[in-house]
Amino acid sequence: MRTTWKVLAAALAALGAGMPAQASEELLLRLLGPPARGSEARVSYAAQWRPERRAEGAAHGGAVEVLTQRAALLSAAPLGAEAEGSVALGLRHHGLRGEARLPKANVPLPDHLWDPTLGAAYRRFLALGRWTGLAAVVNSPSDRPFHSAREVSVSATALYRAPRGERAAWLFFLRYDNTREFWNHIPLPGLAYWARPTPRSMVVLGVPYSSVRWAGESGWGASLSYALLRTLGAEANYRFSGALQAYAGFHMDSESHFRARRDHREDRLWYYEKRVQAGVRLDPSPRWSLELAGGHAFDRYYFEGKDFEDRTRDRVPVADGPFLRAGGSLRF
C-alpha cells in the first residue's frame, strides 16, 4: 500500500506545474491513499523563476518577469479505529514585474497574484477494503484575496471506493466547484477504475482524471496523465540509485485569478502555458526530498474572460523563454 501511495502521489504531481501540490490535491491524495498509521504531517516549498520576456504585440507593450512561490502543509491523523481526518493549508504567490497591460481593459497585469487555501477531509473505513470520503476547500485566487465574496472559490469532493480484488477498485466521485471552466455550481459525477497490475505500475482510467504510470526493474520509468479540460503531463525518468532520479517531460496546464477591480463578476485573469523540462529529484530518506529542474516554456499567454472561449478577447501573449525551479519537502 505504501508503494501505491508513492506512485499515486507522483502521478498527480505530474499533472501540476511541477510545484508542490496545493491543498486540494493533497486532500485528494488523502482520500485515495492508505490509512494513516498515526499522526503525520508534510510541509513543502518550491520557487520557480521565469525571466523577463516581452509581451508580444505593439498594443500590449512592456515585458513580464514572474517569480512563483508555493508552500503547503498537510496534517493527517486517525479518528478512532474506523475514521481519519486531514487538514491542509496552502499559499501560492506570483510576483510579476514589467509593464505589460491588458489591452481591452487598459490596465497593467497585477504586480502580485495570491492564492491562500484552507481545506479539510474526512474518511470513514468500511468492511472489505471499502471507504467513503469527503474533502472541502476554500481559497481566494486574486490580487486582493478575500476582498469580497466575488474572490472566493469553494469546492467539495465526495468519494466512494469499491475494491475489485486486491489490485483494483472502482472510484465514484461527486464534485462541486463554483469556479470551474464549465458548469459552475453544478455537482458533477465522476468515475474511475484504479488498478495496480504489478507492484511497480498503476492505471487510473476515468473522468475527470486518467493516469498511467510504470517503473521498470532496470531503473527506467514513465507516466502519462490527463485531467479535463486542458491539463496534460508526460514524463520519462531514470533512477540511478535508491535516492537519485533524473527526469524529462512535457506539461500543459493553466491557472486563473480574480482581479478585484474587474468589470464583470465572472471574469478571471487566466494564464496558459506549455513547457518541456528536465530535472533531478533526490530522496536521501523517506522523510525529506529535494528537486532541481529547468526547461523551456512556450505558447504562453494571459487573458481576461469568463472561460477559455474568451482567450482572444483581452489577451497578452508572452514570448517563449526558459524557467528554473527548486524545492523540497519534509515529512514528520
Side-chain angles (χ1 to χ4, degrees):
M1 288 294 288
R2 292 288 158 181
T3 300
T4 302
W5 163 261
K6 292 179 180 179
V7 170
L8 182 59
L12 286 183
L15 277 174
M19 305 280 280
Q22 288 294 94
S24 58
E25 295 164 338
E26 296 276 13
L27 291 175
L28 285 176
L29 289 178
R30 289 311 316 165
L31 291 184
L32 296 172
R37 296 180 178 179
S39 297
E40 57 186 54
R42 176 179 179 269
V43 294
S44 59
Y45 170 82
Q48 182 166 282
W49 175 59
R50 299 177 180 90
E52 184 175 87
R53 284 296 180 271
R54 63 186 175 87
E56 296 178 344
H60 308 138
V64 178
E65 177 185 354
V66 185
L67 176 63
T68 299
Q69 299 181 79
R70 292 184 185 177
L73 165 66
L74 173 70
S75 179
L79 301 176
E82 298 179 347
E84 176 185 289
S86 305
V87 176
L89 300 174
L91 179 62
R92 179 178 61 199
H93 172 254
H94 298 288
L96 283 72
R97 298 181 58 185
E99 299 179 354
R101 303 176 70 88
L102 291 168
K104 185 174 181 180
N106 194 29
V107 296
L109 293 177
D111 293 334
H112 301 279
L113 293 171
W114 301 88
D115 189 4
T117 306
L118 171 63
Y122 174 81
R123 283 197 292 178
R124 186 76 177 178
F125 301 106
L126 309 173
L128 303 176
R130 298 175 294 121
W131 66 66
T132 60
L134 177 65
V137 174
V138 177
N139 64 309
S140 182
S142 175
D143 56 340
R144 299 177 66 182
F146 300 107
H147 174 68
S148 71
R150 303 193 315 164
E151 288 75 54
V152 177
S153 173
V154 179
S155 63
T157 302
L159 165 75
Y160 175 70
R161 181 185 188 273
R164 301 285 294 178
E166 296 183 357
R167 292 178 176 262
W170 285 103
L171 305 174
F172 300 90
F173 299 90
L174 184 64
R175 181 171 176 82
Y176 167 85
D177 197 328
N178 70 335
T179 56
R180 66 167 67 95
E181 286 191 64
F182 57 96
W183 295 346
N184 287 340
H185 304 286
I186 300 176
L188 296 179
L191 174 65
Y193 183 74
W194 171 88
R196 187 168 54 130
T198 72
R200 293 176 172 268
S201 62
M202 185 192 71
V203 177
V204 178
L205 298 177
V207 176
Y209 170 79
S210 293
S211 173
V212 178
R213 189 170 181 88
W214 164 81
E217 295 285 351
S218 63
W220 287 99
S223 66
L224 177 64
S225 302
Y226 173 75
L228 295 175
L229 285 171
R230 280 166 283 273
T231 302
L232 174 69
E235 180 182 295
N237 55 71
Y238 182 78
R239 185 168 291 278
F240 294 94
S241 66
L244 181 62
Q245 183 185 66
Y247 66 90
F250 167 80
H251 294 269
M252 177 177 68
D253 50 45
S254 64
E255 59 185 62
S256 64
H257 294 78
F258 294 104
R259 279 197 313 114
R261 295 182 179 180
R262 63 194 183 278
D263 294 331
H264 302 284
R265 178 188 180 93
E266 295 187 354
D267 280 356
R268 282 182 275 176
L269 179 63
W270 298 84
Y271 175 70
Y272 279 80
E273 78 168 21
K274 301 181 180 73
R275 62 190 177 278
V276 290
Q277 62 185 44
V280 293
R281 301 186 183 107
L282 181 65
D283 304 298
S285 81
R287 290 186 174 273
W288 62 283
S289 64
L290 299 171
E291 182 179 358
L292 179 64
H296 183 75
F298 60 99
D299 197 12
R300 305 171 58 195
Y301 54 92
Y302 294 88
F303 72 91
E304 189 164 68
K306 181 179 178 180
D307 53 35
F308 188 71
E309 299 302 318
D310 294 329
R311 63 190 180 278
T312 62
R313 194 186 79 181
D314 202 355
R315 178 173 169 130
V316 181
V318 180
D320 303 348
F323 68 89
L324 294 173
R325 183 178 67 250
S329 65
L330 174 66
R331 296 180 183 272
F332 54 92

mmCIF file of all heavy atoms in Angstrom, residues 6-27:
data_model
loop_
_atom_site.group_PDB
_atom_site.id
_atom_site.type_symbol
_atom_site.label_atom_id
_atom_site.label_comp_id
_atom_site.label_asym_id
_atom_site.label_seq_id
_atom_site.Cartn_x
_atom_site.Cartn_y
_atom_site.Cartn_z
ATOM 1 N N LYS A 6 2.943 6.214 -2.987
ATOM 2 C CA LYS A 6 4.000 6.983 -3.641
ATOM 3 C C LYS A 6 3.754 7.096 -5.140
ATOM 4 O O LYS A 6 3.964 8.150 -5.736
ATOM 5 C CB LYS A 6 5.361 6.329 -3.377
ATOM 6 C CG LYS A 6 5.811 6.407 -1.922
ATOM 7 C CD LYS A 6 7.151 5.726 -1.739
ATOM 8 C CE LYS A 6 7.609 5.799 -0.286
ATOM 9 N NZ LYS A 6 8.910 5.122 -0.081
ATOM 10 N N VAL A 7 3.309 6.006 -5.766
ATOM 11 C CA VAL A 7 3.035 6.039 -7.201
ATOM 12 C C VAL A 7 1.908 7.010 -7.512
ATOM 13 O O VAL A 7 1.979 7.815 -8.438
ATOM 14 C CB VAL A 7 2.696 4.617 -7.705
ATOM 15 C CG1 VAL A 7 2.169 4.661 -9.129
ATOM 16 C CG2 VAL A 7 3.927 3.725 -7.640
ATOM 17 N N LEU A 8 0.822 6.972 -6.712
ATOM 18 C CA LEU A 8 -0.306 7.863 -6.945
ATOM 19 C C LEU A 8 0.083 9.308 -6.717
ATOM 20 O O LEU A 8 -0.292 10.197 -7.477
ATOM 21 C CB LEU A 8 -1.460 7.479 -6.023
ATOM 22 C CG LEU A 8 -2.740 8.286 -6.175
ATOM 23 C CD1 LEU A 8 -3.277 8.176 -7.596
ATOM 24 C CD2 LEU A 8 -3.778 7.821 -5.172
ATOM 25 N N ALA A 9 0.860 9.580 -5.682
ATOM 26 C CA ALA A 9 1.290 10.954 -5.412
ATOM 27 C C ALA A 9 2.118 11.506 -6.558
ATOM 28 O O ALA A 9 1.938 12.652 -6.984
ATOM 29 C CB ALA A 9 2.092 11.002 -4.108
ATOM 30 N N ALA A 10 3.024 10.693 -7.083
ATOM 31 C CA ALA A 10 3.849 11.153 -8.199
ATOM 32 C C ALA A 10 3.011 11.385 -9.449
ATOM 33 O O ALA A 10 3.251 12.316 -10.208
ATOM 34 C CB ALA A 10 4.955 10.127 -8.480
ATOM 35 N N ALA A 11 2.003 10.542 -9.662
ATOM 36 C CA ALA A 11 1.155 10.707 -10.849
ATOM 37 C C ALA A 11 0.355 11.993 -10.781
ATOM 38 O O ALA A 11 0.252 12.730 -11.761
ATOM 39 C CB ALA A 11 0.215 9.506 -10.985
ATOM 40 N N LEU A 12 -0.227 12.313 -9.624
ATOM 41 C CA LEU A 12 -0.979 13.550 -9.501
ATOM 42 C C LEU A 12 -0.062 14.762 -9.573
ATOM 43 O O LEU A 12 -0.418 15.791 -10.134
ATOM 44 C CB LEU A 12 -1.762 13.557 -8.180
ATOM 45 C CG LEU A 12 -2.987 12.638 -8.136
ATOM 46 C CD1 LEU A 12 -3.701 12.804 -6.798
ATOM 47 C CD2 LEU A 12 -3.944 12.907 -9.265
ATOM 48 N N ALA A 13 1.132 14.655 -9.013
ATOM 49 C CA ALA A 13 2.068 15.780 -9.074
ATOM 50 C C ALA A 13 2.450 16.086 -10.517
ATOM 51 O O ALA A 13 2.697 17.239 -10.880
ATOM 52 C CB ALA A 13 3.316 15.481 -8.259
ATOM 53 N N ALA A 14 2.502 15.058 -11.368
ATOM 54 C CA ALA A 14 2.854 15.269 -12.772
ATOM 55 C C ALA A 14 1.825 16.108 -13.502
ATOM 56 O O ALA A 14 2.115 16.695 -14.542
ATOM 57 C CB ALA A 14 3.007 13.923 -13.484
ATOM 58 N N LEU A 15 0.603 16.192 -12.958
ATOM 59 C CA LEU A 15 -0.424 16.990 -13.607
ATOM 60 C C LEU A 15 -0.205 18.472 -13.429
ATOM 61 O O LEU A 15 -0.623 19.277 -14.247
ATOM 62 C CB LEU A 15 -1.805 16.633 -13.032
ATOM 63 C CG LEU A 15 -2.464 15.408 -13.625
ATOM 64 C CD1 LEU A 15 -3.727 15.105 -12.852
ATOM 65 C CD2 LEU A 15 -2.785 15.614 -15.084
ATOM 66 N N GLY A 16 0.417 18.872 -12.307
ATOM 67 C CA GLY A 16 0.542 20.279 -11.993
ATOM 68 C C GLY A 16 1.742 20.920 -12.630
ATOM 69 O O GLY A 16 2.316 20.430 -13.594
ATOM 70 N N ALA A 17 2.160 22.036 -12.109
ATOM 71 C CA ALA A 17 3.254 22.797 -12.686
ATOM 72 C C ALA A 17 4.604 22.303 -12.226
ATOM 73 O O ALA A 17 5.603 22.972 -12.370
ATOM 74 C CB ALA A 17 3.100 24.277 -12.321
ATOM 75 N N GLY A 18 4.661 21.108 -11.671
ATOM 76 C CA GLY A 18 5.917 20.616 -11.151
ATOM 77 C C GLY A 18 6.245 21.219 -9.816
ATOM 78 O O GLY A 18 7.367 21.094 -9.344
ATOM 79 N N MET A 19 5.298 21.890 -9.182
ATOM 80 C CA MET A 19 5.482 22.507 -7.883
ATOM 81 C C MET A 19 4.786 21.647 -6.841
ATOM 82 O O MET A 19 4.041 20.738 -7.169
ATOM 83 C CB MET A 19 4.874 23.920 -7.893
ATOM 84 C CG MET A 19 5.394 24.803 -8.999
ATOM 85 S SD MET A 19 6.986 25.533 -8.637
ATOM 86 C CE MET A 19 6.480 26.897 -7.593
ATOM 87 N N PRO A 20 5.012 21.907 -5.538
ATOM 88 C CA PRO A 20 4.292 21.137 -4.526
ATOM 89 C C PRO A 20 2.792 21.236 -4.711
ATOM 90 O O PRO A 20 2.261 22.260 -5.107
ATOM 91 C CB PRO A 20 4.728 21.809 -3.210
ATOM 92 C CG PRO A 20 6.023 22.454 -3.515
ATOM 93 C CD PRO A 20 5.936 22.878 -4.944
ATOM 94 N N ALA A 21 2.113 20.154 -4.397
ATOM 95 C CA ALA A 21 0.672 20.124 -4.584
ATOM 96 C C ALA A 21 -0.021 21.150 -3.701
ATOM 97 O O ALA A 21 0.379 21.391 -2.575
ATOM 98 C CB ALA A 21 0.142 18.725 -4.273
ATOM 99 N N GLN A 22 -1.070 21.767 -4.231
ATOM 100 C CA GLN A 22 -1.885 22.660 -3.446
ATOM 101 C C GLN A 22 -2.783 21.852 -2.519
ATOM 102 O O GLN A 22 -2.867 20.627 -2.599
ATOM 103 C CB GLN A 22 -2.719 23.544 -4.354
ATOM 104 C CG GLN A 22 -1.901 24.605 -5.085
ATOM 105 C CD GLN A 22 -1.310 25.633 -4.139
ATOM 106 O OE1 GLN A 22 -0.179 25.498 -3.712
ATOM 107 N NE2 GLN A 22 -2.076 26.654 -3.812
ATOM 108 N N ALA A 23 -3.494 22.561 -1.605
ATOM 109 C CA ALA A 23 -4.277 21.892 -0.579
ATOM 110 C C ALA A 23 -5.298 20.929 -1.169
ATOM 111 O O ALA A 23 -5.493 19.830 -0.661
ATOM 112 C CB ALA A 23 -4.958 22.933 0.301
ATOM 113 N N SER A 24 -5.968 21.322 -2.270
ATOM 114 C CA SER A 24 -6.986 20.454 -2.847
ATOM 115 C C SER A 24 -6.388 19.142 -3.341
ATOM 116 O O SER A 24 -6.973 18.064 -3.169
ATOM 117 C CB SER A 24 -7.697 21.175 -3.991
ATOM 118 O OG SER A 24 -6.773 21.573 -4.984
ATOM 119 N N GLU A 25 -5.193 19.192 -3.956
ATOM 120 C CA GLU A 25 -4.544 17.983 -4.442
ATOM 121 C C GLU A 25 -4.071 17.114 -3.278
ATOM 122 O O GLU A 25 -4.170 15.879 -3.318
ATOM 123 C CB GLU A 25 -3.376 18.365 -5.346
ATOM 124 C CG GLU A 25 -3.821 19.081 -6.611
ATOM 125 C CD GLU A 25 -2.665 19.776 -7.296
ATOM 126 O OE1 GLU A 25 -1.655 20.068 -6.634
ATOM 127 O OE2 GLU A 25 -2.787 20.060 -8.496
ATOM 128 N N GLU A 26 -3.531 17.744 -2.228
ATOM 129 C CA GLU A 26 -3.088 16.996 -1.057
ATOM 130 C C GLU A 26 -4.252 16.242 -0.426
ATOM 131 O O GLU A 26 -4.123 15.093 -0.001
ATOM 132 C CB GLU A 26 -2.480 17.955 -0.030
ATOM 133 C CG GLU A 26 -1.214 18.665 -0.483
ATOM 134 C CD GLU A 26 0.032 17.827 -0.264
ATOM 135 O OE1 GLU A 26 -0.107 16.611 -0.001
ATOM 136 O OE2 GLU A 26 1.140 18.380 -0.357
ATOM 137 N N LEU A 27 -5.410 16.880 -0.330
ATOM 138 C CA LEU A 27 -6.554 16.237 0.290
ATOM 139 C C LEU A 27 -7.101 15.104 -0.572
ATOM 140 O O LEU A 27 -7.553 14.080 -0.052
ATOM 141 C CB LEU A 27 -7.647 17.266 0.572
ATOM 142 C CG LEU A 27 -7.305 18.271 1.672
ATOM 143 C CD1 LEU A 27 -8.396 19.320 1.784
ATOM 144 C CD2 LEU A 27 -7.084 17.592 3.012
#
